[in-house]
Amino acid sequence: MDAQLLAFVAVAAGMVALPGADFTVVVRNALASRWDGLATAVGVAGGLVVHTALAVAGLAAVLVTMPVLFRGVQLLGGAYVLYLGLSGLYAMRRRAAAGAAAGAGAGSGSEEEVTGGTPAAPGRALRQGFLTNALNPKAPVLFLSLLPQFVPDGAAPLPRTLLLASVVVLLALVWFPAVALLVDRLGRWLRRPRAARVIEGGSGSALTALGLVLVAGPLLH
């Protein structure tokens, strides 16, 4: 393995592991169920396949050089992330109201373990992970600027770029399922009512804020 490839693996690992919308959605769905978390993780990797394929094919360059198209994708992606964030905040509010009603009826202060959300069909979780990543408008720019930096002089660009793209997808297939399994492993504590509300509220707020930034960007230009 050459030095440039090793350097790329390190950079790509940091990029994949950086907390963002993908990480937040995986954690939230993993609290609902292990399979939801894993399906979301696979969906995120599927979104990366789309971005890397576009970068390899050169289509990302077209997207970047066409401001109207880029802003349209940015608006669509921001709107979807905003929808996920508001859904999380609504679920947190509903859980808090249900917990208050249950506490009043039971007349005790004890906390019972609850799920982190309503389990969804694996297909829905897979779709959420895929769309969250695939509609990220910053990804084409990132891949278009990052991949060429690790193609050695004189090397055939296509095979090398395919290799680098495959590394990114493989890292995602390791990292995000690991996050889902860790969340599920810690579920006994994370699914307690108070912890679940904090996590759901935090993830909902983060996704809402990110969605607003993504939506506001093209509207302000």
Side-chain angles (χ1 to χ4, degrees), residues 33-215:
S33 79
R34 177 189 303 177
W35 295 113
D36 281 356
L38 290 174
T40 307
V42 173
V44 169
L48 283 172
V49 170
V50 171
H51 289 303
T52 54
L54 290 176
V56 170
L59 295 179
V62 176
L63 181 65
V64 173
T65 55
M66 295 181 65
V68 174
L69 181 59
F70 181 80
R71 288 173 187 171
V73 173
Q74 190 172 12
L75 273 172
L76 185 60
Y80 185 72
V81 172
L82 181 60
Y83 162 75
L84 292 177
L86 292 175
S87 297
L89 291 176
Y90 174 74
M92 179 199 67
R93 183 177 178 181
R94 185 175 57 184
R95 182 191 305 284
S108 66
S110 63
E111 286 192 342
E112 296 179 358
E113 183 178 327
V114 299
T115 58
T118 303
R124 180 183 176 188
L126 180 73
R127 184 169 61 252
Q128 286 183 348
F130 176 80
L131 291 176
T132 299
N133 187 275
L135 293 177
N136 180 359
K138 296 182 180 180
V141 181
L142 180 62
F143 280 107
L144 195 62
S145 60
L146 180 64
L147 297 183
Q149 307 302 320
F150 294 90
V151 178
D153 294 335
L158 184 58
R160 181 71 172 192
T161 307
L162 283 172
L163 174 61
L164 298 177
S166 299
V167 168
V168 175
V169 175
L170 287 173
L171 287 171
L173 284 172
V174 172
W175 170 249
F176 288 109
V179 169
L181 291 174
L182 178 61
V183 171
D184 181 71
R185 182 78 174 176
L186 298 175
R188 179 180 177 183
W189 295 274
L190 297 179
R191 292 187 180 105
R192 290 177 177 176
R194 189 173 300 172
R197 287 195 295 269
V198 170
I199 293 172
E200 212 158 37
S203 64
S205 299
L207 288 171
T208 300
L210 179 58
L212 287 172
V213 170
L214 292 175
V215 169

